[in-house]
């Protein structure tokens, strides 16, 4: 019996938005020291909205599905809403994960947040946003 939902298997077998973005506005990397899995997230931002997200990953089936689902949750969202995407949001979008695989969702959520922080640190003043927003976000991670 498969331990994964049909949605997890679909994302694992047909991962969405795999790859890299040339001249990405933000890049974030995150690895799980327990298992050695690793994710690199690229974001493209237009008018405070996530225009594109892509990723490169070395990981288990659940982490690949989580990264794929994260991109679908993120593209089209404004920066504030994208920054609020959580592990639980990713798990729910996949119709659940086995308890021992829930930690894999952190790869997607944290990788995304790090890419957004990278964006804020590079471009926040160009977009007229407050400089201390980037500072507070960096401090949270
Ligand atoms: Fe490493 Fe899933 S077992 S992220």
């Amino acid at each position: 019996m498969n331990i994964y939902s049909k949605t997890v298997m679909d994302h694992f077998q047909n991962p969405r938005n795999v790859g890299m973005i040339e001249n990405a506005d933000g890049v974030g990397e995150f690895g799980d020291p327990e298992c050695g899995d690793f994710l690199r997230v690229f974001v493209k931002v237009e008018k405070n909205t996530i225009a594109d997200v892509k990723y490169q990953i070395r990981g288990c089936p659940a982490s690949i599905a989580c990264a794929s689902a994260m991109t679908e949750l993120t593209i089209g969202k404004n920066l504030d809403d994208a920054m609020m995407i959580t592990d639980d949001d990713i798990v729910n979008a996949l119709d659940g994960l086995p308890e021992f695989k829930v930690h894999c969702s952190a790869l997607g959520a944290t990788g995304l947040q790090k890419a957004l922080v990278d964006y804020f640190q590079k471009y926040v003043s160009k977009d007229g946003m407050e400089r201390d927003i980037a500072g507070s976000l960096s401090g949270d991670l």
Side-chain angles (χ1 to χ4, degrees):
M1 191 179 111
N2 198 324
I3 62 171
Y4 295 120
S5 71
K6 285 183 180 174
T7 310
V8 171
M9 291 306 297
D10 181 42
H11 278 275
F12 170 56
Q13 293 173 327
N14 307 287
R16 282 62 146 177
N17 302 304
V18 176
M20 59 183 297
I21 298 174
E22 295 290 337
N23 302 315
D25 295 317
V27 180
E29 297 180 343
F30 183 64
D32 185 329
E34 292 290 316
C35 59
D37 291 350
F38 178 83
L39 176 69
R40 180 179 294 126
V41 177
F42 304 85
V43 295
K44 197 77 188 167
V45 179
E46 292 174 7
K47 297 181 183 172
N48 280 337
T49 298
I50 306 295
D52 198 11
V53 181
K54 293 197 182 304
Y55 60 92
Q56 297 171 317
I57 190 166
R58 180 189 65 222
C60 68
S63 68
I64 292 168
C66 287
S68 175
M70 175 275 291
T71 66
E72 289 195 332
L73 287 172
T74 306
I75 295 171
K77 280 206 166 40
N78 67 44
L79 291 171
D80 288 342
D81 290 343
M83 197 68 196
M84 299 298 286
I85 291 172
T86 65
D87 300 355
D88 284 346
D89 294 332
I90 294 172
V91 171
N92 289 337
L94 291 170
D95 297 327
L97 281 173
E99 191 59 37
F100 73 102
K101 283 291 185 181
V102 168
H103 73 97
C104 308
S105 63
L107 224 58
T110 307
L112 171 64
Q113 289 165 359
K114 287 186 172 236
L116 293 174
V117 167
D118 184 48
Y119 165 78
F120 286 129
Q121 289 175 333
K122 286 178 181 168
Y123 298 108
V124 71
S125 60
K126 288 182 187 172
D127 286 348
M129 299 170 73
E130 297 293 330
R131 174 61 70 179
D132 61 0
I133 291 174
S136 64
L137 289 172
S138 299
D140 290 343
L141 294 178

